[in-house]
Amino acid sequence: MVEAVVGGRSGVGSARARPGILVLAAAVFAGVTTEMLPVGLLPAIADSLQVSESTTGLLVSFYAVMVALGAVPLAVLTRRFRRKRLLLAVMGCYTLSNVVAAAAPTFAVLAVGRAIGGLSHALFFSVVIGYAVRLVPPAMTGRALALVSSGASVGFVLGVPLATALGNAVGWHVAFWLLAALMLLVLALIAVVLPDVDAPATTASAIPGQRGRMALVVTSNALAFVGHFTLYTYVSVLLLRSGATQAAVAPILLVFGVFGLLGVWFGGPWLDRSPRTSALLILGMVGVGILAAAIGYPHLAGVVVAGAVWNGAWGPVSSVYQVAAVRTRATSPELAGAWINATSNVGIAVGAAIGGRVLAAAGIREDAFLAFGAVIAAMAVFVLAQVCRH
């Protein structure tokens, strides 16, 4: 059996790791679907609870703020807990958050459910990233993280579009009830299938002098997420104002998700072979797709084609930054994951909030131009992070 040593701990052999990696991917699928569900149902939730679309978009921002504030502190506080028990507890909290949201009669109660989910999410990704790294040999880190991250793309491909279609057909409350049931199923799979790994003992494997590079990586990550979610939070609004019908939104999101999954499929192996080049190419394609959406609006065909490019390239972005952060060796994989999780959600919160303001004050095209500028800034900082290697 091949053994991996990551952060001073023995990992699970690569042949035995695949079932565990797949279970982690399923957990990511459920987690991302929980996080992004309001995006597809934003107009329906706004109408049902009699609030504006821009106010409803704050459900995404509020969730993200909880993650951003809690990710690093929770990772530090729980660093001595056994990983499997900790992950089971997190999935239980996710389930509770969806039950509260499903039963919510008011916007305030729905916000409470989202707060519980946000705190769960704050710890979830640091645990999952560290877990995946410890299951495989170091040379397979990029592929393992890409496979785990594919759960996010499947969430966009299947979870969000199907939940959107269901919510539009029978009510958004039902979509949250279904998601709560999915969380329970994933929790059972974790209990039965996932092998346990040791908790990280120390950060002794960290390389001195790499904190500056790590800071640049997480800054670039935050900017990329600002760019994406400035527009993606309001993607249903973009599609509806481009001429799509309400019934067509879910199928179009499905198309976007399929392209995101293809992006993960093709991009994952290159993160181990040529991480810097593939990262810049991926970010460049995200920027091109967003700019094309701005130029193509309000013509639906142009927006859909641009959205396929943008979301296809976005698929492997999480893996890009997870791999880059872990490979700085500035800290443990768990804390690297926590910083990526925190800054991702800073980006989501800022992007959703700014996007809502610009949407209300100017329009959806202006949202897209702002998103493009943030992605270009993310590329510039990422280049600087690769230059400052020592």
Side-chain angles (χ1 to χ4, degrees):
M1 181 179 69
V2 178
E3 294 290 336
V5 179
V6 182
R9 289 288 180 176
S10 176
V12 176
S14 57
R16 292 176 54 200
R18 184 172 294 274
I21 292 291
L22 292 175
V23 169
L24 291 177
V28 170
F29 163 77
V32 167
T33 303
T34 294
E35 182 178 20
M36 292 293 104
L37 185 57
V39 172
L41 294 174
L42 191 148
I45 293 172
D47 183 64
S48 171
L49 300 180
Q50 298 183 330
V51 295
S52 68
E53 290 176 343
S54 57
T55 298
T56 307
L58 294 176
L59 288 172
V60 178
S61 292
F62 183 53
Y63 187 104
V65 166
M66 301 303 293
V67 179
L69 293 177
V72 174
L74 287 173
V76 171
L77 289 172
T78 60
R79 65 187 182 277
R80 298 186 185 278
F81 286 59
R82 296 291 298 185
R83 300 292 92 182
K84 186 170 180 175
R85 292 177 184 175
L86 187 58
L87 185 56
L88 287 169
V90 170
M91 297 307 291
C93 291
Y94 261 136
T95 303
L96 175 62
S97 80
N98 284 316
V99 168
V100 172
T106 66
F107 186 82
V109 175
L110 179 56
V112 169
R114 296 294 289 172
I116 297 170
L119 287 174
S120 305
H121 201 95
L123 184 56
F124 174 72
F125 271 97
S126 64
V127 175
V128 167
I129 292 170
Y131 219 126
V133 169
R134 288 174 181 356
L135 286 177
V136 298
M140 295 178 64
T141 296
R143 277 167 283 184
L145 290 177
L147 183 55
V148 169
S149 296
S150 71
S153 293
V154 176
F156 288 115
V157 171
L158 295 177
V160 174
L162 290 178
T164 298
L166 180 66
N168 287 331
V170 297
W172 59 269
H173 294 276
V174 176
F176 278 105
W177 281 119
L178 183 63
L179 200 48
L182 174 64
M183 283 292 179
L184 286 176
L185 175 60
V186 173
L187 191 152
L189 287 173
I190 291 170
V192 174
V193 177
L194 190 65
D196 202 359
V197 296
D198 293 341
T202 67
T203 59
S205 61
I207 298 176
Q210 290 297 297
R211 290 184 178 179
R213 188 174 168 219
M214 177 73 170
L216 290 171
V217 169
V218 298
T219 299
S220 176
N221 181 62
L223 288 168
F225 274 78
V226 167
H228 180 66
F229 282 93
T230 292
L231 188 58
Y232 189 79
T233 304
Y234 305 97
V235 67
S236 56
V237 178
L238 172 66
L239 294 172
L240 290 170
R241 293 187 181 181
S242 298
T245 64
Q246 186 71 54
V249 170
I252 294 172
L253 291 179
L254 178 61
V255 170
F256 289 173
V258 168
F259 276 88
L261 189 58
L262 289 173
V264 171
W265 182 266
F266 287 109
W270 289 101
L271 295 178
D272 287 318
R273 298 172 193 168
S274 182
R276 284 174 288 176
T277 301
S278 58
L280 291 174
L281 179 61
I282 287 165
L283 290 172
M285 289 182 65
V286 171
V288 167
I290 290 174
L291 181 61
I295 295 171
Y297 178 81
H299 303 290
L300 182 61
V303 168
V304 170
V305 171
V309 173
W310 152 37
N311 287 279
W314 184 257
V317 165
S318 291
S319 300
V320 165
Y321 285 108
Q322 288 164 9
V323 171
V326 168
R327 286 183 171 168
T328 64
R329 296 285 297 277
T331 186
S332 69
E334 281 76 16
L335 278 177
W339 279 110
I340 290 297
N341 193 18
T343 53
S344 296
N345 283 276
V346 167
I348 293 170
V350 172
I354 292 176
R357 290 289 186 91
V358 174
L359 175 65
I364 195 69
R365 173 178 278 154
E366 287 72 16
D367 263 359
F369 282 125
L370 181 61
F372 171 72
V375 172
I376 295 303
M379 290 182 67
V381 175
F382 192 87
V383 169
L384 185 59
Q386 301 310 304
V387 171
C388 300
R389 297 182 63 83
H390 300 289

